[in-house]
Amino acid sequence: DVKVTQSSRYLVKRTGEKVFLECVQDMDHENMFWYRQDPGLGLRLIYFSYDVKMKEKGDIPEGYSVSREKKERFSLILESASTNQTSMYLCASRDTTNYGYTFGSGTRLTVV
Amino acid sequence: GIQVEQSPPDLILQEGANSTLRCNFSDSVNNLQWFHQNPWGQLINLFYIPSGTKQNGRLSATTVATERYSLLYISSSQTTDSGVYFCAVDTGFQKLVFGTGTRLLVSP
């Protein structure tokens, strides 16, 4: 069974901290994505990656960066966490042969 | 950018009832997908359906691309169908734009 694993289910960080959210997939997918989910706003794309070392900005990249050094791992970095980045963060990978998306179980980040 | 609207925003059903969820989108799309998010937050891909009709058990979906809408049908609903249903579209830039979802509660 295919899997996307996010390293933490719940995370509490202080304002100004540098935060790393890790995502690992075991399906050899080239495409990976980071979304954030907020009530009433649905899911919004932060960054995505076509392949190793490639990244593209999504709709709300401000305050975030990403790293993809290996195919299976896509990291989201909050350079200096702020309270408005309190949210649920969802990682996904995509099978380019059938457009199927697999999501991780999410990381609920609280910035205090 | 493309707008994706879902209706109704909330739906409450008795177990065994049928329902139809709607997704309207404002531009041509290459890709349309339906997802279910269970009460624990896990998102599951239900259908990839840029056009036509597909069925999977009690669920089926129809997309009429020329009229820019898609419908998700749930028949004989069960409590495990509860959660949020999202429609998401891709206009060709390989990134999905999600609607705000339909929250479904199926009561026993």
Side-chain angles (χ1 to χ4, degrees), chain A residues 9 31 33 35 37 40 42-43 45 50 59 94 99-101 103-105, chain B residues 31 33 35 37 40 42-43 45 48 86 90 93-96 98-100:
Chain A
R9 183 76 172 125
N31 298 167
F33 306 82
Y35 288 87
Q37 183 176 14
L43 278 77
L45 181 65
Y50 290 116
D59 299 317
R94 185 177 77 161
Y99 301 99
Y101 282 77
F103 277 83
S105 53
Chain B
N31 175 5
Q33 309 218 10
F35 294 86
Q37 188 171 40
W40 296 270
Q42 182 67 54
L43 265 167
N45 206 164
Y48 162 67
F86 289 101
D90 173 359
F93 297 100
Q94 300 193 52
K95 47 180 187 174
L96 287 180
F98 282 76
T100 53

PDB file of all heavy atoms in Angstrom, chain A residues 9 31 33 35 37 40 42-43 45 50 59 94 99-101 103-105, chain B residues 31 33 35 37 40 42-43 45 48 86 90 93-96 98-100:
ATOM      1  N   ARG A   9       2.449  14.661  13.848  1.00  0.00           N
ATOM      2  CA  ARG A   9       1.002  14.861  13.746  1.00  0.00           C
ATOM      3  C   ARG A   9       0.607  16.207  14.363  1.00  0.00           C
ATOM      4  O   ARG A   9      -0.253  16.897  13.822  1.00  0.00           O
ATOM      5  CB  ARG A   9       0.279  13.724  14.483  1.00  0.00           C
ATOM      6  CG  ARG A   9      -1.224  13.806  14.374  1.00  0.00           C
ATOM      7  CD  ARG A   9      -1.691  13.357  13.028  1.00  0.00           C
ATOM      8  NE  ARG A   9      -3.153  13.254  12.980  1.00  0.00           N
ATOM      9  CZ  ARG A   9      -3.923  13.865  12.097  1.00  0.00           C
ATOM     10  NH1 ARG A   9      -3.376  14.650  11.188  1.00  0.00           N
ATOM     11  NH2 ARG A   9      -5.223  13.709  12.106  1.00  0.00           N
ATOM     12  N   ASN A  31       6.307  13.931  -8.501  1.00  0.00           N
ATOM     13  CA  ASN A  31       5.644  15.170  -8.072  1.00  0.00           C
ATOM     14  C   ASN A  31       5.269  15.104  -6.600  1.00  0.00           C
ATOM     15  O   ASN A  31       4.650  14.134  -6.152  1.00  0.00           O
ATOM     16  CB  ASN A  31       4.359  15.391  -8.887  1.00  0.00           C
ATOM     17  CG  ASN A  31       4.604  15.546 -10.369  1.00  0.00           C
ATOM     18  OD1 ASN A  31       3.670  15.485 -11.155  1.00  0.00           O
ATOM     19  ND2 ASN A  31       5.844  15.740 -10.776  1.00  0.00           N
ATOM     20  N   PHE A  33       3.850  17.806  -3.194  1.00  0.00           N
ATOM     21  CA  PHE A  33       3.135  19.059  -2.949  1.00  0.00           C
ATOM     22  C   PHE A  33       3.022  19.322  -1.453  1.00  0.00           C
ATOM     23  O   PHE A  33       2.903  18.385  -0.659  1.00  0.00           O
ATOM     24  CB  PHE A  33       1.705  18.965  -3.517  1.00  0.00           C
ATOM     25  CG  PHE A  33       1.637  18.583  -4.966  1.00  0.00           C
ATOM     26  CD1 PHE A  33       1.731  17.252  -5.349  1.00  0.00           C
ATOM     27  CD2 PHE A  33       1.474  19.546  -5.947  1.00  0.00           C
ATOM     28  CE1 PHE A  33       1.677  16.885  -6.679  1.00  0.00           C
ATOM     29  CE2 PHE A  33       1.416  19.194  -7.287  1.00  0.00           C
ATOM     30  CZ  PHE A  33       1.516  17.862  -7.656  1.00  0.00           C
ATOM     31  N   TYR A  35       0.415  21.612   0.959  1.00  0.00           N
ATOM     32  CA  TYR A  35      -0.785  22.427   1.081  1.00  0.00           C
ATOM     33  C   TYR A  35      -0.966  22.829   2.542  1.00  0.00           C
ATOM     34  O   TYR A  35      -0.505  22.138   3.452  1.00  0.00           O
ATOM     35  CB  TYR A  35      -2.031  21.636   0.667  1.00  0.00           C
ATOM     36  CG  TYR A  35      -2.175  21.377  -0.801  1.00  0.00           C
ATOM     37  CD1 TYR A  35      -1.590  20.264  -1.401  1.00  0.00           C
ATOM     38  CD2 TYR A  35      -2.927  22.234  -1.604  1.00  0.00           C
ATOM     39  CE1 TYR A  35      -1.731  20.022  -2.756  1.00  0.00           C
ATOM     40  CE2 TYR A  35      -3.080  21.991  -2.964  1.00  0.00           C
ATOM     41  CZ  TYR A  35      -2.488  20.894  -3.522  1.00  0.00           C
ATOM     42  OH  TYR A  35      -2.637  20.655  -4.865  1.00  0.00           O
ATOM     43  N   GLN A  37      -4.314  23.849   5.096  1.00  0.00           N
ATOM     44  CA  GLN A  37      -5.768  23.808   5.154  1.00  0.00           C
ATOM     45  C   GLN A  37      -6.250  24.646   6.323  1.00  0.00           C
ATOM     46  O   GLN A  37      -5.838  24.424   7.461  1.00  0.00           O
ATOM     47  CB  GLN A  37      -6.265  22.369   5.319  1.00  0.00           C
ATOM     48  CG  GLN A  37      -7.777  22.262   5.306  1.00  0.00           C
ATOM     49  CD  GLN A  37      -8.257  20.829   5.372  1.00  0.00           C
ATOM     50  OE1 GLN A  37      -7.508  19.908   5.678  1.00  0.00           O
ATOM     51  NE2 GLN A  37      -9.523  20.620   5.053  1.00  0.00           N
ATOM     52  N   GLY A  40     -12.875  27.103   6.151  1.00  0.00           N
ATOM     53  CA  GLY A  40     -13.530  28.010   5.214  1.00  0.00           C
ATOM     54  C   GLY A  40     -12.721  28.353   3.977  1.00  0.00           C
ATOM     55  O   GLY A  40     -13.239  28.992   3.055  1.00  0.00           O
ATOM     56  N   GLY A  42     -10.571  25.874   2.400  1.00  0.00           N
ATOM     57  CA  GLY A  42     -10.160  24.677   1.673  1.00  0.00           C
ATOM     58  C   GLY A  42      -8.659  24.459   1.785  1.00  0.00           C
ATOM     59  O   GLY A  42      -8.016  24.881   2.747  1.00  0.00           O
ATOM     60  N   LEU A  43      -8.092  23.816   0.778  1.00  0.00           N
ATOM     61  CA  LEU A  43      -6.657  23.574   0.738  1.00  0.00           C
ATOM     62  C   LEU A  43      -6.019  24.562  -0.230  1.00  0.00           C
ATOM     63  O   LEU A  43      -6.519  24.761  -1.341  1.00  0.00           O
ATOM     64  CB  LEU A  43      -6.363  22.146   0.262  1.00  0.00           C
ATOM     65  CG  LEU A  43      -6.456  21.037   1.289  1.00  0.00           C
ATOM     66  CD1 LEU A  43      -7.903  20.688   1.582  1.00  0.00           C
ATOM     67  CD2 LEU A  43      -5.703  19.810   0.816  1.00  0.00           C
ATOM     68  N   LEU A  45      -2.311  25.679  -2.091  1.00  0.00           N
ATOM     69  CA  LEU A  45      -0.997  25.161  -2.441  1.00  0.00           C
ATOM     70  C   LEU A  45       0.097  26.143  -2.048  1.00  0.00           C
ATOM     71  O   LEU A  45       0.070  27.312  -2.440  1.00  0.00           O
ATOM     72  CB  LEU A  45      -0.948  24.883  -3.944  1.00  0.00           C
ATOM     73  CG  LEU A  45       0.360  24.300  -4.476  1.00  0.00           C
ATOM     74  CD1 LEU A  45       0.609  22.913  -3.892  1.00  0.00           C
ATOM     75  CD2 LEU A  45       0.304  24.222  -6.007  1.00  0.00           C
ATOM     76  N   TYR A  50       8.515  19.167  -9.074  1.00  0.00           N
ATOM     77  CA  TYR A  50       8.383  18.214 -10.168  1.00  0.00           C
ATOM     78  C   TYR A  50       9.336  17.046 -10.025  1.00  0.00           C
ATOM     79  O   TYR A  50       9.086  15.950 -10.504  1.00  0.00           O
ATOM     80  CB  TYR A  50       8.676  18.889 -11.513  1.00  0.00           C
ATOM     81  CG  TYR A  50       7.655  19.876 -11.961  1.00  0.00           C
ATOM     82  CD1 TYR A  50       7.979  21.215 -12.109  1.00  0.00           C
ATOM     83  CD2 TYR A  50       6.364  19.468 -12.279  1.00  0.00           C
ATOM     84  CE1 TYR A  50       7.035  22.135 -12.546  1.00  0.00           C
ATOM     85  CE2 TYR A  50       5.421  20.377 -12.725  1.00  0.00           C
ATOM     86  CZ  TYR A  50       5.771  21.713 -12.854  1.00  0.00           C
ATOM     87  OH  TYR A  50       4.839  22.612 -13.292  1.00  0.00           O
ATOM     88  N   ASP A  59       0.298  29.001  -4.614  1.00  0.00           N
ATOM     89  CA  ASP A  59      -0.508  30.211  -4.495  1.00  0.00           C
ATOM     90  C   ASP A  59      -0.165  31.068  -3.277  1.00  0.00           C
ATOM     91  O   ASP A  59      -0.419  32.262  -3.274  1.00  0.00           O
ATOM     92  CB  ASP A  59      -1.992  29.816  -4.435  1.00  0.00           C
ATOM     93  CG  ASP A  59      -2.421  29.101  -5.694  1.00  0.00           C
ATOM     94  OD1 ASP A  59      -2.028  29.548  -6.797  1.00  0.00           O
ATOM     95  OD2 ASP A  59      -3.141  28.082  -5.604  1.00  0.00           O
ATOM     96  N   ARG A  94       2.094  12.609  -6.234  1.00  0.00           N
ATOM     97  CA  ARG A  94       1.208  12.302  -7.350  1.00  0.00           C
ATOM     98  C   ARG A  94       1.845  11.301  -8.299  1.00  0.00           C
ATOM     99  O   ARG A  94       3.013  11.415  -8.656  1.00  0.00           O
ATOM    100  CB  ARG A  94       0.856  13.561  -8.128  1.00  0.00           C
ATOM    101  CG  ARG A  94      -0.165  13.321  -9.224  1.00  0.00           C
ATOM    102  CD  ARG A  94      -0.525  14.587  -9.918  1.00  0.00           C
ATOM    103  NE  ARG A  94       0.524  14.998 -10.848  1.00  0.00           N
ATOM    104  CZ  ARG A  94       0.325  15.853 -11.832  1.00  0.00           C
ATOM    105  NH1 ARG A  94      -0.854  16.373 -12.025  1.00  0.00           N
ATOM    106  NH2 ARG A  94       1.317  16.195 -12.614  1.00  0.00           N
ATOM    107  N   TYR A  99      -2.603  10.234 -12.492  1.00  0.00           N
ATOM    108  CA  TYR A  99      -3.024  11.460 -11.808  1.00  0.00           C
ATOM    109  C   TYR A  99      -3.518  11.224 -10.387  1.00  0.00           C
ATOM    110  O   TYR A  99      -4.127  12.098  -9.800  1.00  0.00           O
ATOM    111  CB  TYR A  99      -4.119  12.180 -12.611  1.00  0.00           C
ATOM    112  CG  TYR A  99      -3.676  12.551 -13.993  1.00  0.00           C
ATOM    113  CD1 TYR A  99      -4.026  11.768 -15.079  1.00  0.00           C
ATOM    114  CD2 TYR A  99      -2.885  13.678 -14.206  1.00  0.00           C
ATOM    115  CE1 TYR A  99      -3.595  12.089 -16.354  1.00  0.00           C
ATOM    116  CE2 TYR A  99      -2.461  14.002 -15.471  1.00  0.00           C
ATOM    117  CZ  TYR A  99      -2.814  13.212 -16.544  1.00  0.00           C
ATOM    118  OH  TYR A  99      -2.397  13.536 -17.789  1.00  0.00           O
ATOM    119  N   GLY A 100      -3.238  10.062  -9.850  1.00  0.00           N
ATOM    120  CA  GLY A 100      -3.694   9.777  -8.494  1.00  0.00           C
ATOM    121  C   GLY A 100      -2.851  10.491  -7.456  1.00  0.00           C
ATOM    122  O   GLY A 100      -1.623  10.442  -7.508  1.00  0.00           O
ATOM    123  N   TYR A 101      -3.500  11.147  -6.516  1.00  0.00           N
ATOM    124  CA  TYR A 101      -2.828  11.846  -5.428  1.00  0.00           C
ATOM    125  C   TYR A 101      -2.926  11.002  -4.167  1.00  0.00           C
ATOM    126  O   TYR A 101      -3.978  10.440  -3.868  1.00  0.00           O
ATOM    127  CB  TYR A 101      -3.495  13.189  -5.154  1.00  0.00           C
ATOM    128  CG  TYR A 101      -3.127  14.277  -6.128  1.00  0.00           C
ATOM    129  CD1 TYR A 101      -3.692  14.311  -7.405  1.00  0.00           C
ATOM    130  CD2 TYR A 101      -2.234  15.285  -5.781  1.00  0.00           C
ATOM    131  CE1 TYR A 101      -3.355  15.320  -8.296  1.00  0.00           C
ATOM    132  CE2 TYR A 101      -1.900  16.287  -6.669  1.00  0.00           C
ATOM    133  CZ  TYR A 101      -2.462  16.295  -7.927  1.00  0.00           C
ATOM    134  OH  TYR A 101      -2.142  17.289  -8.807  1.00  0.00           O
ATOM    135  N   PHE A 103      -2.237  11.606  -0.089  1.00  0.00           N
ATOM    136  CA  PHE A 103      -1.951  12.606   0.935  1.00  0.00           C
ATOM    137  C   PHE A 103      -1.431  11.948   2.209  1.00  0.00           C
ATOM    138  O   PHE A 103      -1.811  10.821   2.549  1.00  0.00           O
ATOM    139  CB  PHE A 103      -3.211  13.391   1.282  1.00  0.00           C
ATOM    140  CG  PHE A 103      -3.501  14.524   0.333  1.00  0.00           C
ATOM    141  CD1 PHE A 103      -4.154  14.288  -0.871  1.00  0.00           C
ATOM    142  CD2 PHE A 103      -3.112  15.821   0.636  1.00  0.00           C
ATOM    143  CE1 PHE A 103      -4.412  15.327  -1.757  1.00  0.00           C
ATOM    144  CE2 PHE A 103      -3.370  16.866  -0.246  1.00  0.00           C
ATOM    145  CZ  PHE A 103      -4.012  16.615  -1.439  1.00  0.00           C
ATOM    146  N   GLY A 104      -0.574  12.670   2.902  1.00  0.00           N
ATOM    147  CA  GLY A 104      -0.197  12.288   4.240  1.00  0.00           C
ATOM    148  C   GLY A 104      -1.321  12.613   5.210  1.00  0.00           C
ATOM    149  O   GLY A 104      -2.332  13.215   4.839  1.00  0.00           O
ATOM    150  N   SER A 105      -1.148  12.226   6.453  1.00  0.00           N
ATOM    151  CA  SER A 105      -2.204  12.418   7.450  1.00  0.00           C
ATOM    152  C   SER A 105      -2.210  13.817   8.053  1.00  0.00           C
ATOM    153  O   SER A 105      -3.085  14.140   8.836  1.00  0.00           O
ATOM    154  CB  SER A 105      -2.103  11.373   8.548  1.00  0.00           C
ATOM    155  OG  SER A 105      -0.805  11.370   9.079  1.00  0.00           O
TER     156      SER A 105
ATOM    157  N   ASN B  31      -8.094  18.381 -15.540  1.00  0.00           N
ATOM    158  CA  ASN B  31      -8.116  17.349 -14.514  1.00  0.00           C
ATOM    159  C   ASN B  31      -9.118  17.767 -13.466  1.00  0.00           C
ATOM    160  O   ASN B  31      -9.129  18.933 -13.051  1.00  0.00           O
ATOM    161  CB  ASN B  31      -6.707  17.248 -13.921  1.00  0.00           C
ATOM    162  CG  ASN B  31      -6.610  16.291 -12.750  1.00  0.00           C
ATOM    163  OD1 ASN B  31      -7.563  15.608 -12.386  1.00  0.00           O
ATOM    164  ND2 ASN B  31      -5.439  16.242 -12.147  1.00  0.00           N
ATOM    165  N   GLN B  33     -10.751  16.154  -9.762  1.00  0.00           N
ATOM    166  CA  GLN B  33     -10.685  15.044  -8.825  1.00  0.00           C
ATOM    167  C   GLN B  33     -11.640  15.320  -7.668  1.00  0.00           C
ATOM    168  O   GLN B  33     -11.873  16.464  -7.289  1.00  0.00           O
ATOM    169  CB  GLN B  33      -9.263  14.882  -8.282  1.00  0.00           C
ATOM    170  CG  GLN B  33      -8.208  14.813  -9.374  1.00  0.00           C
ATOM    171  CD  GLN B  33      -7.096  13.850  -9.092  1.00  0.00           C
ATOM    172  OE1 GLN B  33      -7.135  13.064  -8.163  1.00  0.00           O
ATOM    173  NE2 GLN B  33      -6.059  13.884  -9.928  1.00  0.00           N
ATOM    174  N   PHE B  35     -12.205  14.236  -3.606  1.00  0.00           N
ATOM    175  CA  PHE B  35     -11.536  13.706  -2.426  1.00  0.00           C
ATOM    176  C   PHE B  35     -12.526  13.642  -1.263  1.00  0.00           C
ATOM    177  O   PHE B  35     -13.448  14.446  -1.168  1.00  0.00           O
ATOM    178  CB  PHE B  35     -10.380  14.624  -1.988  1.00  0.00           C
ATOM    179  CG  PHE B  35      -9.233  14.699  -2.952  1.00  0.00           C
ATOM    180  CD1 PHE B  35      -9.265  15.604  -4.000  1.00  0.00           C
ATOM    181  CD2 PHE B  35      -8.127  13.890  -2.808  1.00  0.00           C
ATOM    182  CE1 PHE B  35      -8.202  15.700  -4.889  1.00  0.00           C
ATOM    183  CE2 PHE B  35      -7.054  13.977  -3.682  1.00  0.00           C
ATOM    184  CZ  PHE B  35      -7.095  14.884  -4.722  1.00  0.00           C
ATOM    185  N   GLN B  37     -12.300  13.728   2.932  1.00  0.00           N
ATOM    186  CA  GLN B  37     -11.483  13.899   4.133  1.00  0.00           C
ATOM    187  C   GLN B  37     -12.271  13.358   5.314  1.00  0.00           C
ATOM    188  O   GLN B  37     -13.329  13.898   5.646  1.00  0.00           O
ATOM    189  CB  GLN B  37     -11.103  15.358   4.350  1.00  0.00           C
ATOM    190  CG  GLN B  37     -10.101  15.559   5.480  1.00  0.00           C
ATOM    191  CD  GLN B  37      -9.583  16.970   5.546  1.00  0.00           C
ATOM    192  OE1 GLN B  37     -10.328  17.924   5.363  1.00  0.00           O
ATOM    193  NE2 GLN B  37      -8.293  17.126   5.812  1.00  0.00           N
ATOM    194  N   TRP B  40     -10.812  12.311  10.897  1.00  0.00           N
ATOM    195  CA  TRP B  40      -9.471  12.355  11.458  1.00  0.00           C
ATOM    196  C   TRP B  40      -8.507  13.132  10.572  1.00  0.00           C
ATOM    197  O   TRP B  40      -7.322  13.216  10.873  1.00  0.00           O
ATOM    198  CB  TRP B  40      -8.950  10.928  11.675  1.00  0.00           C
ATOM    199  CG  TRP B  40      -9.792  10.233  12.694  1.00  0.00           C
ATOM    200  CD1 TRP B  40      -9.630  10.196  14.038  1.00  0.00           C
ATOM    201  CD2 TRP B  40     -11.001   9.490  12.416  1.00  0.00           C
ATOM    202  NE1 TRP B  40     -10.648   9.480  14.619  1.00  0.00           N
ATOM    203  CE2 TRP B  40     -11.492   9.025  13.663  1.00  0.00           C
ATOM    204  CE3 TRP B  40     -11.704   9.163  11.247  1.00  0.00           C
ATOM    205  CZ2 TRP B  40     -12.671   8.272  13.759  1.00  0.00           C
ATOM    206  CZ3 TRP B  40     -12.860   8.407  11.357  1.00  0.00           C
ATOM    207  CH2 TRP B  40     -13.325   7.979  12.603  1.00  0.00           C
ATOM    208  N   GLN B  42      -7.665  12.615   7.287  1.00  0.00           N
ATOM    209  CA  GLN B  42      -7.025  11.924   6.170  1.00  0.00           C
ATOM    210  C   GLN B  42      -7.813  12.164   4.882  1.00  0.00           C
ATOM    211  O   GLN B  42      -9.011  11.929   4.821  1.00  0.00           O
ATOM    212  CB  GLN B  42      -6.933  10.430   6.446  1.00  0.00           C
ATOM    213  CG  GLN B  42      -6.242   9.644   5.343  1.00  0.00           C
ATOM    214  CD  GLN B  42      -4.762   9.978   5.222  1.00  0.00           C
ATOM    215  OE1 GLN B  42      -4.029   9.894   6.195  1.00  0.00           O
ATOM    216  NE2 GLN B  42      -4.326  10.351   4.032  1.00  0.00           N
ATOM    217  N   LEU B  43      -7.090  12.626   3.874  1.00  0.00           N
ATOM    218  CA  LEU B  43      -7.682  12.870   2.553  1.00  0.00           C
ATOM    219  C   LEU B  43      -7.484  11.653   1.660  1.00  0.00           C
ATOM    220  O   LEU B  43      -6.356  11.178   1.492  1.00  0.00           O
ATOM    221  CB  LEU B  43      -7.007  14.054   1.880  1.00  0.00           C
ATOM    222  CG  LEU B  43      -7.638  15.418   2.025  1.00  0.00           C
ATOM    223  CD1 LEU B  43      -6.666  16.486   1.581  1.00  0.00           C
ATOM    224  CD2 LEU B  43      -8.901  15.518   1.185  1.00  0.00           C
ATOM    225  N   ASN B  45      -8.262  10.101  -2.201  1.00  0.00           N
ATOM    226  CA  ASN B  45      -8.630  10.372  -3.581  1.00  0.00           C
ATOM    227  C   ASN B  45      -9.768   9.425  -3.974  1.00  0.00           C
ATOM    228  O   ASN B  45      -9.598   8.202  -3.927  1.00  0.00           O
ATOM    229  CB  ASN B  45      -7.391  10.106  -4.440  1.00  0.00           C
ATOM    230  CG  ASN B  45      -7.352  10.888  -5.730  1.00  0.00           C
ATOM    231  OD1 ASN B  45      -6.327  10.996  -6.367  1.00  0.00           O
ATOM    232  ND2 ASN B  45      -8.481  11.434  -6.142  1.00  0.00           N
ATOM    233  N   TYR B  48     -10.634  10.378 -10.260  1.00  0.00           N
ATOM    234  CA  TYR B  48     -10.031  11.261 -11.246  1.00  0.00           C
ATOM    235  C   TYR B  48     -11.011  11.265 -12.414  1.00  0.00           C
ATOM    236  O   TYR B  48     -11.223  10.230 -13.048  1.00  0.00           O
ATOM    237  CB  TYR B  48      -8.664  10.741 -11.679  1.00  0.00           C
ATOM    238  CG  TYR B  48      -8.171  11.337 -12.971  1.00  0.00           C
ATOM    239  CD1 TYR B  48      -7.846  12.680 -13.064  1.00  0.00           C
ATOM    240  CD2 TYR B  48      -8.038  10.553 -14.114  1.00  0.00           C
ATOM    241  CE1 TYR B  48      -7.409  13.222 -14.257  1.00  0.00           C
ATOM    242  CE2 TYR B  48      -7.589  11.084 -15.310  1.00  0.00           C
ATOM    243  CZ  TYR B  48      -7.290  12.423 -15.376  1.00  0.00           C
ATOM    244  OH  TYR B  48      -6.856  12.975 -16.553  1.00  0.00           O
ATOM    245  N   PHE B  86     -14.189  17.186  -1.110  1.00  0.00           N
ATOM    246  CA  PHE B  86     -13.572  18.269  -1.874  1.00  0.00           C
ATOM    247  C   PHE B  86     -13.536  17.917  -3.350  1.00  0.00           C
ATOM    248  O   PHE B  86     -13.223  16.788  -3.733  1.00  0.00           O
ATOM    249  CB  PHE B  86     -12.130  18.520  -1.422  1.00  0.00           C
ATOM    250  CG  PHE B  86     -11.993  19.148  -0.072  1.00  0.00           C
ATOM    251  CD1 PHE B  86     -11.663  18.386   1.035  1.00  0.00           C
ATOM    252  CD2 PHE B  86     -12.193  20.515   0.094  1.00  0.00           C
ATOM    253  CE1 PHE B  86     -11.513  18.970   2.288  1.00  0.00           C
ATOM    254  CE2 PHE B  86     -12.058  21.105   1.337  1.00  0.00           C
ATOM    255  CZ  PHE B  86     -11.721  20.322   2.437  1.00  0.00           C
ATOM    256  N   ASP B  90      -7.445  21.092 -12.045  1.00  0.00           N
ATOM    257  CA  ASP B  90      -6.105  21.426 -12.529  1.00  0.00           C
ATOM    258  C   ASP B  90      -6.287  21.981 -13.928  1.00  0.00           C
ATOM    259  O   ASP B  90      -6.842  21.316 -14.797  1.00  0.00           O
ATOM    260  CB  ASP B  90      -5.268  20.151 -12.524  1.00  0.00           C
ATOM    261  CG  ASP B  90      -3.904  20.331 -13.163  1.00  0.00           C
ATOM    262  OD1 ASP B  90      -3.585  21.434 -13.630  1.00  0.00           O
ATOM    263  OD2 ASP B  90      -3.167  19.328 -13.203  1.00  0.00           O
ATOM    264  N   PHE B  93      -1.415  23.369 -15.224  1.00  0.00           N
ATOM    265  CA  PHE B  93      -0.142  23.754 -14.639  1.00  0.00           C
ATOM    266  C   PHE B  93       0.263  22.799 -13.515  1.00  0.00           C
ATOM    267  O   PHE B  93       1.122  23.107 -12.711  1.00  0.00           O
ATOM    268  CB  PHE B  93      -0.212  25.194 -14.124  1.00  0.00           C
ATOM    269  CG  PHE B  93      -0.465  26.182 -15.224  1.00  0.00           C
ATOM    270  CD1 PHE B  93      -1.734  26.689 -15.431  1.00  0.00           C
ATOM    271  CD2 PHE B  93       0.553  26.583 -16.070  1.00  0.00           C
ATOM    272  CE1 PHE B  93      -1.983  27.585 -16.453  1.00  0.00           C
ATOM    273  CE2 PHE B  93       0.318  27.484 -17.093  1.00  0.00           C
ATOM    274  CZ  PHE B  93      -0.958  27.984 -17.280  1.00  0.00           C
ATOM    275  N   GLN B  94      -0.389  21.644 -13.500  1.00  0.00           N
ATOM    276  CA  GLN B  94      -0.023  20.566 -12.582  1.00  0.00           C
ATOM    277  C   GLN B  94      -0.187  20.939 -11.115  1.00  0.00           C
ATOM    278  O   GLN B  94       0.508  20.404 -10.267  1.00  0.00           O
ATOM    279  CB  GLN B  94       1.402  20.077 -12.847  1.00  0.00           C
ATOM    280  CG  GLN B  94       1.582  19.546 -14.254  1.00  0.00           C
ATOM    281  CD  GLN B  94       2.856  18.795 -14.421  1.00  0.00           C
ATOM    282  OE1 GLN B  94       3.157  17.884 -13.659  1.00  0.00           O
ATOM    283  NE2 GLN B  94       3.643  19.160 -15.413  1.00  0.00           N
ATOM    284  N   LYS B  95      -1.065  21.881 -10.836  1.00  0.00           N
ATOM    285  CA  LYS B  95      -1.366  22.131  -9.436  1.00  0.00           C
ATOM    286  C   LYS B  95      -2.874  22.188  -9.257  1.00  0.00           C
ATOM    287  O   LYS B  95      -3.580  22.851 -10.006  1.00  0.00           O
ATOM    288  CB  LYS B  95      -0.705  23.414  -8.949  1.00  0.00           C
ATOM    289  CG  LYS B  95      -0.853  24.615  -9.846  1.00  0.00           C
ATOM    290  CD  LYS B  95      -0.137  25.802  -9.231  1.00  0.00           C
ATOM    291  CE  LYS B  95      -0.412  27.069 -10.031  1.00  0.00           C
ATOM    292  NZ  LYS B  95       0.160  28.273  -9.373  1.00  0.00           N
ATOM    293  N   LEU B  96      -3.339  21.466  -8.258  1.00  0.00           N
ATOM    294  CA  LEU B  96      -4.766  21.394  -8.010  1.00  0.00           C
ATOM    295  C   LEU B  96      -5.246  22.625  -7.261  1.00  0.00           C
ATOM    296  O   LEU B  96      -4.590  23.088  -6.327  1.00  0.00           O
ATOM    297  CB  LEU B  96      -5.102  20.163  -7.173  1.00  0.00           C
ATOM    298  CG  LEU B  96      -5.024  18.802  -7.844  1.00  0.00           C
ATOM    299  CD1 LEU B  96      -5.394  17.717  -6.853  1.00  0.00           C
ATOM    300  CD2 LEU B  96      -5.945  18.734  -9.050  1.00  0.00           C
ATOM    301  N   PHE B  98      -8.424  23.643  -5.019  1.00  0.00           N
ATOM    302  CA  PHE B  98      -9.496  22.985  -4.286  1.00  0.00           C
ATOM    303  C   PHE B  98     -10.674  23.918  -4.071  1.00  0.00           C
ATOM    304  O   PHE B  98     -10.508  25.128  -3.859  1.00  0.00           O
ATOM    305  CB  PHE B  98      -8.995  22.525  -2.916  1.00  0.00           C
ATOM    306  CG  PHE B  98      -8.182  21.270  -2.950  1.00  0.00           C
ATOM    307  CD1 PHE B  98      -6.876  21.278  -3.389  1.00  0.00           C
ATOM    308  CD2 PHE B  98      -8.727  20.067  -2.533  1.00  0.00           C
ATOM    309  CE1 PHE B  98      -6.111  20.127  -3.433  1.00  0.00           C
ATOM    310  CE2 PHE B  98      -7.981  18.897  -2.562  1.00  0.00           C
ATOM    311  CZ  PHE B  98      -6.678  18.930  -3.012  1.00  0.00           C
ATOM    312  N   GLY B  99     -11.865  23.344  -4.065  1.00  0.00           N
ATOM    313  CA  GLY B  99     -13.030  24.053  -3.580  1.00  0.00           C
ATOM    314  C   GLY B  99     -13.020  24.071  -2.055  1.00  0.00           C
ATOM    315  O   GLY B  99     -12.140  23.479  -1.415  1.00  0.00           O
ATOM    316  N   THR B 100     -14.002  24.726  -1.471  1.00  0.00           N
ATOM    317  CA  THR B 100     -14.040  24.843  -0.002  1.00  0.00           C
ATOM    318  C   THR B 100     -14.748  23.674   0.655  1.00  0.00           C
ATOM    319  O   THR B 100     -14.823  23.600   1.869  1.00  0.00           O
ATOM    320  CB  THR B 100     -14.689  26.156   0.435  1.00  0.00           C
ATOM    321  OG1 THR B 100     -15.958  26.269  -0.195  1.00  0.00           O
ATOM    322  CG2 THR B 100     -13.811  27.348   0.056  1.00  0.00           C
TER     323      THR B 100
END
